[in-house]
Amino acid sequence: MRRLLLALALLAFNAGAAGMIDPEDGMVDMSHYLQDNPYGFLPIPVVITEPAVGYGGGLFGLFLHGKGKEIGHRFIPPAMTAFGGGGTQNGTRFVGGGHRHTWQDDRIRYLVAGGYANINLDIYSGDIAGFGSNRSVEAETRGYGGMQKLLFRVGNTPFFVGASQFWAEMSISAPSNPVIDKTWKRVLGETSTSSGLGILVEYDTTDNFFWPGRGVSLSGEYQFYGHYFGGDYRYDLMTLDGKYFIPLSPRWSLSIAANYQKLSHSQQHLPPMARPYIALRGISRYRYQGENVSTVQTQLAWQATPRWVVLGFAGAGSAADSASDLYNTAEVAWGAGFRYLIAKEYGLHTGIDVAFSDHEQAVYFNVGSGL
């Protein structure tokens, strides 16, 4: 952590020499550096305090290929590429990258990403030696995979339709528990492949990809996993996601988000990571899983200065095997953070969130709203 903070301080100290001082307000701004330098990138530090994998860090670079353009009230971002990696104290290692591109004034959208990871993660639930949210199995998952999405705008409307693909090959083991390790290998095999295709529908009226100030973003995706696509397991996953960005005043804004996932399967056993989980800042990944998972969250932001934003957030999530049992019990998380407008030509904000839940706390570096 000390090395990372020192590196950030040196970056700010050398900003003037690199042409990253905005002459209008004298603040650090990377807009022209990213636009004019073909090798220029925004360094995104990854400080990991995720309770599920322990403390660690890494670094990603975000490359913006162009300036983007304004069409009406919307800012269409340029093509962008990100890649990097990191690790944590419990031996978790990861490396990966992705690329997003649009064509014909945002009439076609494409996203592709992939990577490799060796993740040491506590598995709390599942149909193979899972014990629930208070007891866990120490699992080591190694594998690589990727995903891609392609969307087409419907006429001149905010609607998009398209398709998605996901593929991953992984192995899971329990080095500290020979009995469970042997059970997993007998049921799941030495390695397993998950492969699926999906259909997508989106509705998007937000004004900025990096920092939406107003508008609605809705999406629905249904993914089919099975042997026909090269996978070892047959199941379906439906995901519904919505975000609403509301300007309350020139300085105050409210964001509301909700997500619902439903897993349908006929096989008796699935890999533990195939199941949806509660994804909220402040709650360990994969701690609360179920065949039905729902989250709701809200975030209030105050524009303290033209560059600085202070925000607070709260959310709740529930995981259950039946949709009717959702929110019989719920997990709650909350926190606060800040954002700095690091590239005003793009509306690109970056900053830190500190989040809490009943038994955990974590720090997150975020690019964008964090929702």
Side-chain angles (χ1 to χ4, degrees):
M1 176 69 79
R2 287 194 296 270
R3 293 190 183 98
L4 177 60
L5 294 176
L6 177 61
L8 293 176
L10 291 174
L11 176 65
F13 181 78
N14 293 321
M20 293 188 288
I21 298 297
D22 186 351
E24 294 184 5
D25 59 11
M27 302 292 286
V28 175
D29 188 283
M30 297 185 68
S31 298
H32 295 293
Y33 173 77
L34 295 172
Q35 291 173 353
D36 302 333
N37 187 345
Y39 303 104
F41 65 93
L42 173 67
I44 304 173
V46 180
V47 176
I48 303 172
T49 59
E50 167 64 52
V53 295
Y55 295 97
L59 185 68
F60 276 75
L62 175 64
F63 296 80
L64 300 177
H65 310 295
K67 298 182 179 181
K69 63 173 64 176
E70 295 275 354
I71 296 183
H73 69 281
R74 294 183 298 117
F75 173 74
I76 300 176
M80 63 191 78
T81 302
F83 63 85
T88 70
Q89 64 185 151
N90 77 347
T92 292
R93 300 288 183 269
F94 58 90
V95 61
H99 179 76
R100 185 184 187 271
H101 206 111
T102 65
W103 293 273
Q104 300 180 12
D105 292 336
D106 200 32
R107 298 188 65 84
I108 303 174
R109 296 178 177 181
Y110 178 68
L111 173 68
V112 62
Y116 170 83
N118 180 1
I119 303 174
N120 296 315
L121 183 73
D122 289 346
I123 300 294
Y124 285 85
S125 61
D127 53 18
I128 310 171
F131 300 117
S133 61
N134 294 319
R135 297 182 60 191
S136 63
V137 178
E138 294 182 5
E140 179 180 19
T141 302
R142 297 184 181 184
Y144 52 91
M147 57 77 66
Q148 55 182 341
K149 294 182 178 182
L150 179 64
L151 288 165
F152 298 89
R153 187 182 293 272
V154 179
N156 294 318
T157 72
F159 288 95
F160 292 82
V161 296
S164 63
Q165 180 186 17
F166 176 86
W167 181 89
E169 183 175 295
M170 63 187 71
S171 63
I172 183 170
S173 60
S176 62
N177 193 317
V179 175
I180 294 178
D181 184 60
K182 185 177 180 179
T183 302
W184 274 345
K185 284 183 167 53
R186 185 176 69 250
V187 175
L188 301 176
E190 292 291 335
T191 62
S192 61
T193 301
S194 294
S195 180
L197 296 177
I199 53 176
L200 274 168
V201 178
E202 289 191 5
Y203 175 88
D204 184 12
T205 63
T206 55
D207 56 354
N208 188 289
F209 173 80
F210 296 112
W211 184 261
R214 65 176 66 241
V216 177
S217 174
L218 304 172
S219 67
E221 181 177 15
Y222 200 96
Q223 294 175 299
F224 305 86
Y225 291 82
H227 306 289
Y228 293 110
F229 311 122
D232 296 327
Y233 306 98
R234 174 70 186 96
Y235 60 95
D236 299 339
L237 179 63
M238 180 181 70
T239 302
L240 303 176
D241 190 79
K243 298 181 178 69
Y244 187 20
F245 301 94
I246 310 166
L248 301 177
S249 73
R251 287 200 168 192
W252 291 90
S253 62
L254 179 67
S255 304
I256 302 171
N259 179 274
Y260 172 69
Q261 296 181 75
K262 178 178 177 58
L263 177 72
S264 303
H265 64 98
S266 57
Q267 289 187 249
Q268 183 178 2
H269 301 302
L270 293 176
M273 287 188 173
R275 281 177 163 72
Y277 61 90
I278 293 176
L280 290 173
R281 286 167 287 183
I283 295 179
S284 294
R285 298 296 189 263
Y286 295 99
R287 176 155 193 173
Y288 303 99
Q289 291 179 276
E291 297 189 4
N292 293 266
V293 173
S294 172
T295 60
V296 292
Q297 54 183 317
T298 185
Q299 182 166 282
L300 183 65
W302 174 50
Q303 189 81 44
T305 74
R307 290 280 181 179
W308 291 97
V309 178
V310 180
L311 54 87
F313 54 88
S318 181
D321 289 334
S322 171
S324 61
D325 292 331
L326 286 173
Y327 293 104
N328 287 343
T329 61
E331 305 302 323
V332 178
W334 64 94
F338 69 87
R339 297 292 185 274
Y340 177 79
L341 181 59
I342 191 68
K344 70 177 184 180
E345 297 295 327
Y346 300 99
L348 183 59
H349 291 69
T350 184
I352 298 174
D353 293 331
V354 181
F356 305 86
S357 58
D358 286 342
H359 307 291
E360 300 168 315
Q361 64 183 41
V363 177
Y364 302 88
F365 272 76
N366 276 314
V367 175
S369 67
L371 290 175

